[in-house]
């Protein structure tokens, strides 16, 4: 009976890995970097994580989980509540609808797919902030954030693959 209890605890802990790693990405994305003008264009590591886990473990990265992580990110960065939550849920929905295509893809196609998701995220983020500000804001910060996020995707993806293999393939 004790072994069964500990096996359940182990399984629960392992199943929390996508959530925990994505929350960690939120926190890592908030680390201040002493580069002028970096904060508005910091890579969206959270979106990379949601993209990865939605493709590889959609049972552990559900829309409600993405929504809660987005709300947490909104709360921690001090932005309008719901913008990142909306962004992550829409991205999660788009990726989930094309999951079979992504699963059968090479890394280059996964990266290209992420580029398309990030392009949609850039437009959605810009639109949301423009509507909330009641003015057409410059799209450049969102565009540069998108480009930087696409550029760091291979490194973050490699890290997520390592976490996936270490915690969820055993």
């Amino acid at each position: 009976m004790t072994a069964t209890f500990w096996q359940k605890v182990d399984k629960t802990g392992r199943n929390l890995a996508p959530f925990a790693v994505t929350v960690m990405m939120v926190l890592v994305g908030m680390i201040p970097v002493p580069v002028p003008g970096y904060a508005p264009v910091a890579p969206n590591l959270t979106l990379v994580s949601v993209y990865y886990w939605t493709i590889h473990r959609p049972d552990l990265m559900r829309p409600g989980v993405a929504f809660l992580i987005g709300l947490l990110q909104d709360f921690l960065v001090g932005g309008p509540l719901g913008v990142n939550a909306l962004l992550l849920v829409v991205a999660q929905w788009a990726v989930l609808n094309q999951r079979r295509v992504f699963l059968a893809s090479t890394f280059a196609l996964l990266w290209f797919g992420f580029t398309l998701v990030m392009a949609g995220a850039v437009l959605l983020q810009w639109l949301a902030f423009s509507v909330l500000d009641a003015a057409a804001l410059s799209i450049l910060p969102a565009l540069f954030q998108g480009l930087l996020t696409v550029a760091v995707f291979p490194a973050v993806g490699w890290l997520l693959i390592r976490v996936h293999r270490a915690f969820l393939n055993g």
Side-chain angles (χ1 to χ4, degrees), residues 56 123 152:
H56 297 285
L123 290 174
V152 301

Side-chain angles (χ1 to χ4, degrees), residues 51 54 88-99 102 117:
Y51 177 83
T54 299
L88 293 179
V89 169
V90 169
Q92 198 266 351
W93 171 80
V95 172
L96 195 58
N97 283 333
Q98 297 301 317
R99 180 174 178 261
F102 289 130
V117 169

Side-chain angles (χ1 to χ4, degrees), residues 37 40-43 118 122 138-151:
V41 299
M118 193 67 226
V122 163
S138 172
I139 197 168
L140 288 178
L143 184 62
F144 285 121
Q145 180 187 43
L147 291 172
L148 194 53
T149 306
V150 168

Side-chain angles (χ1 to χ4, degrees), residues 70-86:
L71 277 181
L72 174 69
Q73 187 173 13
D74 287 333
F75 180 73
L76 291 175
V77 299
L81 287 179
V83 173
N84 282 309
L86 173 68

Side-chain angles (χ1 to χ4, degrees), residues 25-56:
M25 292 293 181
V26 170
L27 298 175
V28 167
M30 292 180 56
I31 294 174
V33 175
V35 174
Y38 176 77
V41 299
N44 191 339
L45 302 176
T46 312
L47 184 59
V48 176
S49 189
V50 168
Y51 177 83
Y52 178 86
W53 292 115
T54 299
I55 292 170
H56 297 285

